[in-house]
Amino acid sequence: MSKLSLPDKTFLEAVLGMSGGYVLDLTNTSFAQLFDDLAIDIYEDKYAEYGVSKANKLRTLWKIGSDFQVASTLGTLADYIEAKQAAPGSSGLREKITEDQIAKIRRIAAELDGAPSTGMGQTTSDGDVADPTPAIFTTEATVLKNKIQIEIHGDIYNHIGQYLATGDYFHAVEESYKLVPGKLREITGKEKASDAFNNSAQNTAHYEALFGKATSANDAEADFFRGIGYLHLGVQHLRNEKAHTPATPLEPNLAVHYISLASLAYDLITRYVSEDTIKELEDLVLAKRQSYRTASSFYRDFEDGKWLRNLTLPAKLQSSAVRKVLKTKWLEEADFTRSYDHSNIVLMRLELVVDELTEADLDRFAGSADKGLVRQ
């Protein structure tokens, strides 16, 4: 396991343009070839722990690869960036990467071997004995003794990553606590939790927008919804405290606890996707498929991913929580026994949420597709 630190990962994610599932402008083929030169089969199953996009495969390598493998990869990526930007007649990369940024990539690679880990809440004392098989939870968290490594909500991380990269934990926490009421306002029209849920977390007026149902189904669900209200009330008051406190250094482990709370509050109100949003996306995909006059033109664009380039997608699709809900729905509905056109639409839908697909999803998906091919 490499010792690549969280600040370095955050910097690399931004410079390599990984937020959309990509790595620079590498295609699947050139991405595989880059790793072939390093004697790494990046499309091996073990590198799909976080998903099958190029960005997720690289993230998995950072997690399970050796320091030497990660350092070699970073050095090769730096070489590629320099060559791409210097090549005569080349249009370069989508976003210019500066010489200082390239130098920092090389410095991270050079310092990686033997560098102490600075990952928040992930250090291990000399007396600790690592369990070779940490417990894996569906929340994408790993547990080793009293050390927990979790994946915070993608929307939260994308917003605060710049602060984590520089060790500015105070503003990382402060900004994460701004994002939660912002999302609450977007969904309910009320920014304050005390207005959306009331001070005793018993207001049900916004349950339809938040949870997809106007009333809870039973007492247990009522308690759960009320608990979410109290969680948001807690975020509201903690945010008020941070807003009236001068910026001071914040201990990283404490910052992680604060950010995790914000991530949980944000996640629990973004799991519901309205029927209108689902219909908008499905109609968009259907219209795009029908815009192709021939099957060959569609397959050519689909193979290269070009069909997505001029597509204007709803802003809600940027949320990983929304993508996960859509992924689950579309996988459950996937039917490859109907027709080739319908199968194409299924594949197009899943490409919209490809970053959320796991190895288990792919296995299930492959089995359904094989059955469909036999029937068709």
Side-chain angles (χ1 to χ4, degrees), residues 301-320:
D301 277 6
F302 181 79
E303 183 179 4
D304 295 336
K306 291 180 180 178
W307 74 277
L308 282 167
R309 291 183 183 175
N310 298 319
L311 209 60
T312 302
L313 298 169
K316 287 187 176 182
L317 197 61
Q318 296 176 8
S319 168
S320 61

Side-chain angles (χ1 to χ4, degrees), residues 95-115:
E95 294 188 12
K96 174 71 175 179
I97 297 176
T98 67
E99 291 183 2
D100 286 345
Q101 289 172 324
I102 297 172
K104 183 169 181 177
I105 294 174
R106 295 193 184 281
R107 186 163 62 251
I108 292 171
E111 294 175 351
L112 190 56
D113 284 333

Side-chain angles (χ1 to χ4, degrees), residues 123-154:
T123 56
T124 306
S125 67
D126 293 338
D128 286 340
V129 178
D131 184 344
T133 311
I136 305 297
F137 295 83
T138 55
T139 52
E140 298 179 271
T142 57
V143 178
L144 179 61
K145 292 189 176 180
N146 68 327
K147 307 296 189 297
I148 301 177
Q149 180 180 339
I150 67 169
E151 180 176 321
I152 64 173
H153 197 286

Side-chain angles (χ1 to χ4, degrees), residues 168-197:
D168 186 357
Y169 300 116
F170 181 91
H171 285 104
V173 171
E174 183 181 46
E175 288 300 312
S176 70
Y177 276 62
K178 289 180 181 178
L179 211 60
V180 176
K183 178 58 69 173
L184 191 62
R185 181 184 65 246
E186 178 185 321
I187 297 172
T188 68
K190 307 290 185 181
E191 181 170 330
K192 290 185 176 180
S194 53
D195 292 335
F197 295 98

Side-chain angles (χ1 to χ4, degrees), residues 248-293:
T248 54
L250 188 62
E251 194 269 316
N253 188 60
L254 180 59
V256 169
H257 284 75
Y258 275 122
I259 293 168
S260 299
L261 187 66
S263 178
L264 176 61
Y266 188 97
D267 180 75
L268 291 175
I269 63 169
T270 56
R271 294 190 171 200
Y272 169 65
V273 183
S274 71
E275 291 298 323
D276 289 342
T277 298
I278 295 171
K279 187 176 186 304
E280 180 183 3
L281 282 165
E282 292 181 348
D283 287 349
L284 200 62
V285 169
L286 178 61
K288 186 66 176 180
R289 175 63 186 91
Q290 292 175 340
S291 69
Y292 289 94
R293 295 184 177 181

Side-chain angles (χ1 to χ4, degrees), residues 47-263:
Y47 294 114
E49 178 177 339
Y50 293 138
V52 298
S53 68
K54 292 181 282 292
N56 278 330
K57 287 183 175 295
L58 184 56
R59 292 180 185 114
T60 303
L61 175 70
W62 289 347
K63 176 184 176 183
I64 69 174
S66 66
D67 286 331
F68 175 77
Q69 288 176 317
V70 175
S72 298
T73 299
L74 295 179
T76 301
L77 287 170
D79 291 342
Y80 174 81
I81 294 168
E82 288 184 332
K84 184 76 175 183
Q85 295 188 155
S90 171
S91 59
L93 300 167
R94 286 189 296 271
E95 294 188 12
K96 174 71 175 179
I97 297 176
T98 67
E99 291 183 2
D100 286 345
Q101 289 172 324
I102 297 172
K104 183 169 181 177
I105 294 174
R106 295 193 184 281
R107 186 163 62 251
I108 292 171
E111 294 175 351
L112 190 56
D113 284 333
S117 173
T118 57
M120 295 187 294
Q122 299 175 43
T123 56
T124 306
S125 67
D126 293 338
D128 286 340
V129 178
D131 184 344
T133 311
I136 305 297
F137 295 83
T138 55
T139 52
E140 298 179 271
T142 57
V143 178
L144 179 61
K145 292 189 176 180
N146 68 327
K147 307 296 189 297
I148 301 177
Q149 180 180 339
I150 67 169
E151 180 176 321
I152 64 173
H153 197 286
D155 296 354
I156 298 284
Y157 179 79
N158 290 336
H159 185 68
I160 67 173
Q162 58 181 316
Y163 302 104
L164 295 175
T166 59
D168 186 357
Y169 300 116
F170 181 91
H171 285 104
V173 171
E174 183 181 46
E175 288 300 312
S176 70
Y177 276 62
K178 289 180 181 178
L179 211 60
V180 176
K183 178 58 69 173
L184 191 62
R185 181 184 65 246
E186 178 185 321
I187 297 172
T188 68
K190 307 290 185 181
E191 181 170 330
K192 290 185 176 180
S194 53
D195 292 335
F197 295 98
N198 80 27
N199 286 320
S200 59
Q202 290 181 303
N203 180 19
T204 64
H206 303 289
Y207 276 17
E208 182 71 39
L210 290 165
F211 311 123
K213 52 177 66 177
T215 58
S216 54
N218 49 52
D219 289 344
E221 189 171 67
D223 287 342
F224 177 65
F225 290 164
R226 192 178 182 188
I228 293 174
Y230 276 123
L231 179 61
H232 279 263
L233 286 167
V235 169
Q236 175 182 314
H237 290 290
L238 288 170
R239 181 196 176 191
N240 290 343
E241 182 268 334
K242 288 286 175 287
H244 294 91
T245 302
T248 54
L250 188 62
E251 194 269 316
N253 188 60
L254 180 59
V256 169
H257 284 75
Y258 275 122
I259 293 168
S260 299
L261 187 66
S263 178

